[in-house]
Amino acid sequence: MGIQDAYNEWSGIYDTNTNLTRDLDSTLTRNLLADQQFDHILELGCGTGKNTQFFVQIGRNVHALDFSQGMIEKAKEKVRADNVRFSMADLTKQWPCEDKAYDLISCNLVLEHIPDLAHIFSEAARVLRSGGKFLINELHPFKQYQGTKARFERGDETIEVDVFVHHISEFINTALKNNFKLIHFNEYWHAEDSHKPPRLVSFIFEK
Ligand SMILES: C[S@@+](CC[C@H](N)C(=O)[O-])C[C@H]1O[C@@H](n2cnc3c(N)ncnc32)[C@H](O)[C@@H]1O
């Protein structure tokens, strides 16, 4: 099953099934951006709007992109704010965004599904204003080395979604090649992760 079809199916239960990675990202995103305000936020792979509902509180305008109709429909039900617009868009193609239009881009739990990070950083560099920030929270590659993948249950069956491994060095070097500065880096564990590898890795790059 392709990634888009998988998320269309997963959208029905994404918010309600047990998912420590989703929950940790939600807490982390709110902590990292607490007390900050932005003019124009671009969210890459908004899914069911878990973080969109926070971004509409800290952003004057929010533009949320995703290529799954099912996920976007859930997000639209959840986030009924006047300052958000949703676009169906494939992040591996050119983004439907103007140059230098945003002061924050957030990308949460999406890049494991994207083969080519160079395209993502090049588009981010195009659409961010000077001084704009690019927050990335992703499943830690250490978890991927151990075989962890985005997955959901269909009855007794486990459906795994196609993923690509991006090493820490790849994130940083691709960002540097696109003239970003690294201003935050950290690794995070869920409370249930003691003695395990970090679950999430988090970067903030500045243009
Ligand atoms: C694990 S979900 C994360 C959703 C949300 N960011 C969150 O943190 O809950 C991954 C999302 O990325 C989207 N996605 C994956 N590949 C994509 C692509 N090439 N273009 C646009 N969206 C994509 C999926 O449709 C899905 O909604």
Side-chain angles (χ1 to χ4, degrees):
M1 185 189 296
I3 296 169
Q4 199 172 17
D5 289 338
Y7 276 104
N8 282 334
E9 184 173 339
W10 194 355
S11 63
I13 52 165
Y14 183 84
D15 286 340
T16 49
N17 63 358
T18 304
N19 186 336
L20 302 185
T21 305
R22 173 201 63 205
D23 298 345
L24 180 61
D25 171 65
S26 176
T27 306
L28 176 58
T29 301
R30 283 153 179 79
N31 290 344
L32 283 170
L33 298 174
D35 304 325
Q36 298 192 49
Q37 288 291 321
F38 299 90
D39 268 340
H40 294 279
I41 298 178
L42 177 65
E43 185 181 8
L44 307 179
C46 62
T48 60
K50 171 197 89 196
N51 292 332
T52 322
Q53 57 188 350
F54 168 63
F55 296 140
V56 295
Q57 294 167 22
I58 63 163
R60 210 162 51 79
N61 293 286
V62 177
H63 188 187
L65 311 181
D66 203 290
F67 75 168
S68 158
Q69 177 98 39
M71 297 296 266
I72 285 209
E73 275 167 13
K74 290 283 175 189
K76 283 183 177 165
E77 282 166 22
K78 185 180 294 151
V79 189
R80 297 192 180 274
D82 293 337
N83 60 336
V84 64
R85 76 191 153 106
F86 293 94
S87 300
M88 284 273 294
D90 184 343
L91 299 171
T92 65
K93 310 268 167 36
Q94 184 170 10
W95 304 347
C97 302
E98 287 180 17
D99 293 0
K100 300 183 182 159
Y102 302 91
D103 52 347
L104 174 70
I105 300 176
S106 190
C107 183
N108 305 70
L109 312 180
V110 177
L111 297 181
E112 68 177 310
H113 300 304
I114 303 287
D116 179 20
L117 286 190
H119 173 74
I120 299 295
F121 279 99
S122 138
E123 280 293 90
R126 177 179 71 77
V127 306
L128 263 185
R129 294 175 182 166
S130 175
K133 291 179 179 148
F134 185 11
L135 166 64
I136 295 176
N137 289 342
E138 287 294 327
L139 182 68
H140 202 297
F142 293 175
K143 296 284 280 183
Q144 293 188 299
Y145 303 156
Q146 294 186 316
T148 302
K149 291 180 177 182
R151 61 172 188 273
F152 63 96
E153 309 300 326
R154 181 202 287 148
D156 294 340
E157 212 184 337
T158 298
I159 311 294
E160 291 190 334
V161 188
D162 288 345
V163 291
F164 305 89
V165 176
H166 300 298
H167 310 294
I168 300 289
S169 55
E170 188 185 346
F171 282 103
I172 293 176
N173 290 330
T174 313
L176 295 180
K177 269 193 204 141
N178 285 278
N179 299 317
F180 283 97
K181 238 177 9 192
L182 179 63
I183 59 169
H184 152 92
F185 171 78
N186 217 335
E187 296 163 310
Y188 296 90
W189 288 256
H190 191 277
E192 294 186 20
D193 288 338
S194 64
H195 308 299
K196 292 191 182 154
R199 182 176 290 272
L200 287 185
V201 62
S202 168
F203 309 87
I204 300 177
F205 297 102
E206 188 176 279
K207 178 174 165 185

